[in-house]
């Protein structure tokens, strides 16, 4: 087993973030949040262009109403929606997914995904492969860094853009680097933040350089009391952060105004209207994700909908009648767009949530938590697409045969990126922790 030891591994949370505000420059962004790049190159040349877009459906989407329908189940279980055929035999999905039905040959659906427990903390399991939230039944093992943080540590970014960007503002507390150090947090992007990548008119590049020198002097003061060495290498991160402010290349990747109206319409957007507000269902985040991976970002995460959006304990069907058509447009637009631009094999798309939903419809016309059955929808990459993998029982309540776990999904994504999962990093106590305990990718995708 190969173990990575480095000075970054012991980084703790930076205690002096107040000194690192681009707000001091008049731009309103934290430098520590603005740029997250690793310091070592790793095996980047081999997998330079490979990227992952991870779409989280926060709250637990109802698998039985979306991708694993049971039309033969009793009426009190099968729900209000009917399945429709796709362009792949046996790949039936919800009638509210007509656009995905046309491109099922570009999709791979895993129906036998099982989570550790039926709890919202499973979003941590999607992001890290581990359920390690204190006090939650079923949580086990040592915490691991977020998937994107590990990719950032091993692959880094290009000259002026981070390797790991999150468009999931309300869920950023889940995307943590732990012992990899704060430099491997994602850059958390939202509409106003992205707008602030533009320098104010009162701040010239010369003044930007003066203020960069001022921050370096503040660093020197802080280093005198930095007994843990938390600030080692931070100068490089600051330099790149300032470089992002001083160039058009980074902010251009976020500028959806550079997209033609026909592309925006494909994503369900209204031309000249860009919304990053998760309370509103738009394709802005999906289109931004495509632009970011095209610009060289390795991992982009986004959350479709507001916090708990898919937690349909009540009014499951009326809510899904609103959510599913919008999701259908966004997924199909992204998959088609990547294919049209020749990026489909370079970019893997992963769509999932922290749990499924019970077959039983409750008194509130909703479905409750279910960890024993879940799904993951995959597209792009070099995967074998146009297939359904695994199955659940006739009620959609349990996986049939040996299920796949979130670690197998992440192992598949690491494999796509060219990352060997048989490595480890030391935690804060110096103990080597592997990326995953179960490092087997989903076999049917190869």
């Amino acid at each position: 087993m190969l173990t990575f030891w480095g000075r970054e591994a012991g980084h703790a949370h930076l205690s002096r973030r107040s000194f690192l505000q681009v707000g001091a420059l008049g731009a309103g962004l934290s430098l520590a949040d603005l740029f997250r790049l690793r310091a070592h190159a790793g095996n980047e040349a081999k997998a330079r262009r490979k990227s992952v877009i991870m779409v989280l459906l926060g709250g637990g989407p109802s698998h039985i109403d979306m991708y694993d329908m049971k039309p033969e189940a009793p009426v009190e279980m099968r729900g209000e929606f009917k399945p429709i055929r796709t362009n792949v035999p046996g790949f039936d999905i919800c009638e509210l997914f007509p656009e995905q039905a046309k491109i099922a040959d570009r999709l791979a659906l895993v129906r036998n995904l099982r989570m550790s427990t039926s709890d919202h903390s499973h979003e941590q399991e999607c992001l890290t492969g581990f359920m390690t939230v204190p006090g939650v039944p079923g949580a086990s093992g040592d915490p691991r860094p977020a998937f994107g943080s590990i990719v950032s540590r091993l692959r880094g970014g290009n000259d002026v853009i981070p390797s790991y960007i999150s468009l999931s503002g309300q869920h950023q507390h889940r995307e943590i680097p732990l012992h990899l150090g704060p430099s491997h947090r994602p850059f958390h992007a939202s509409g106003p933040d992205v707008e602030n990548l533009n320098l104010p008119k009162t701040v010239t590049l010369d003044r930007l350089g003066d203020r960069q020198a001022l921050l370096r002097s503040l660093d020197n003061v802080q280093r005198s009391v930095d007994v843990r060495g938390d600030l080692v290498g931070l100068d490089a991160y600051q330099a790149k952060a300032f470089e992002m402010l001083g160039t058009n290349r980074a902010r251009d990747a976020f500028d959806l105004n550079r997209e033609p109206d026909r592309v925006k319409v494909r994503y369900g957007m209204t031309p000249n209207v860009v919304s990053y507000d998760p309370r509103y269902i738009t394709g802005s985040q999906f289109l931004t994700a495509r632009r970011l991976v095209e610009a060289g970002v390795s991992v982009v995460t986004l959350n479709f909908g507001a916090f708990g959006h898919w937690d349909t304990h009540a009014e499951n069907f009326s809510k899904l009648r609103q959510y599913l058509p919008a999701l259908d447009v966004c997924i199909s637009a992204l998959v088609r767009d990547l294919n049209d631009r020749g990026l489909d094999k370079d970019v893997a798309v992963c769509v999932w949530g922290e749990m499924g939903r019970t077959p039983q419809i409750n008194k509130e016309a909703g479905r409750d938590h279910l960890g024993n059955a879940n799904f993951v929808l995959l597209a792009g990459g070099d995967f074998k697409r146009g297939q359904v993998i695994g199955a659940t029982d006739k009620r959609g309540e349990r996986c049939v045969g040996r299920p796949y776990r979130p670690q197998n999904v992440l192992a598949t994504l690491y494999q796509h990126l060219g990352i060997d999962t048989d490595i480890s990093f030391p935690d804060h106590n110096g103990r080597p922790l592997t990326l995953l305990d179960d490092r087997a990718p989903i076999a049917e995708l190869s």
Side-chain angles (χ1 to χ4, degrees), residues 83-373:
I84 57 172
R85 294 181 178 179
T86 69
N87 63 1
V88 175
F91 197 144
D92 293 357
I93 56 179
C94 178
E95 61 184 323
L96 299 180
F97 287 156
E99 295 304 315
Q100 290 175 78
K102 299 173 185 176
I103 59 166
D105 57 327
R106 303 179 190 175
L107 306 173
L109 175 62
V110 179
R111 285 178 172 163
N112 61 335
L113 181 67
R114 183 177 178 182
M115 314 304 286
S116 297
T117 64
S118 300
D119 188 271
H120 287 302
S121 298
H122 282 312
E123 189 170 274
Q124 192 77 17
E125 196 170 15
C126 292
L127 290 166
T128 71
F130 292 82
M131 246 294 294
T132 54
V133 179
V136 175
S140 61
D142 296 294
R144 296 298 200 278
F147 167 78
S149 295
I150 290 172
V151 176
S152 172
R153 176 67 173 83
L154 291 173
R155 293 187 62 191
N158 61 27
D159 291 340
V160 293
I161 199 163
S163 176
Y164 178 21
I165 293 180
S166 172
L167 304 177
S168 307
Q170 292 176 304
H171 298 257
Q172 59 185 267
H173 63 288
R174 304 276 191 193
E175 300 179 85
I176 52 179
L178 292 177
H179 46 277
L180 298 186
S183 62
H184 301 296
R185 287 197 197 96
F187 168 41
H188 292 291
S190 62
D193 288 344
V194 173
E195 292 169 5
N196 284 336
L197 283 175
N198 293 295
L199 280 176
K201 294 180 180 179
T202 57
V203 179
T204 65
L205 290 178
D206 288 340
R207 291 183 65 191
L208 182 66
D210 291 342
R211 294 179 183 191
Q212 185 176 6
L214 173 61
L215 281 180
R216 279 199 299 267
S217 67
L218 290 172
D219 286 345
N220 291 334
V221 173
Q222 290 296 309
R223 289 178 199 283
S224 65
V225 294
D226 181 27
V227 295
R228 285 177 54 91
D230 290 344
L231 305 181
V232 173
L234 192 59
D235 286 342
Y237 306 140
Q238 289 181 8
K240 294 298 183 182
F242 277 94
E243 187 175 357
M244 284 184 70
L245 287 175
T247 182
N248 291 329
R249 290 177 59 192
R251 57 179 173 266
D252 284 353
F254 290 95
D255 187 2
L256 298 188
N257 291 322
R258 293 175 172 270
E259 292 290 335
D261 287 348
R262 59 178 176 76
V263 174
K264 296 178 185 177
V265 170
R266 170 184 268 190
Y267 281 85
M269 298 169 58
T270 302
N272 303 318
V273 176
V274 176
S275 172
Y276 290 86
D277 191 331
R279 292 175 299 176
Y280 301 99
I281 302 173
T282 76
S284 299
Q285 290 186 337
F286 285 76
L287 180 53
T288 300
R290 191 271 287 164
R291 289 183 61 83
L292 290 174
V293 296
E294 198 169 27
V297 178
S298 293
V299 176
V300 179
T301 59
L302 62 96
N303 199 294
F304 187 88
F307 185 79
H309 194 80
W310 299 88
D311 195 18
T312 54
H313 290 285
E315 301 178 357
N316 175 76
F317 303 101
S318 62
K319 291 177 180 177
L320 293 185
R321 286 188 187 279
Q322 176 188 4
Y323 303 162
L324 297 190
L327 180 65
D328 185 45
V329 168
C330 291
I331 290 176
S332 60
L334 179 60
V335 172
R336 287 185 172 113
D337 204 6
L338 291 171
N339 185 78
D340 292 348
R341 302 176 80 86
L343 297 172
D344 53 312
K345 289 190 176 182
D346 294 326
V347 182
V349 179
C350 173
V351 183
W352 58 346
E354 66 263 37
M355 69 188 80
R357 292 274 149 183
T358 58
Q360 297 81 4
I361 301 171
N362 63 32
K363 295 180 180 180
E364 302 293 328
R367 297 191 191 270
D368 299 315
H369 295 183
L370 180 69
N372 285 331

Side-chain angles (χ1 to χ4, degrees), residues 108 378 381-385 387 389 404 408 411-413 415-416 440-446:
L378 296 158
D382 203 18
F383 305 144
K384 289 183 179 178
R385 288 164 270 178
Q387 63 169 324
I389 298 168
Y404 282 114
N408 304 119
T412 302
L413 299 179
Q415 183 181 67
H416 161 73
I442 297 171
E444 293 90 339
L445 294 173
S446 299

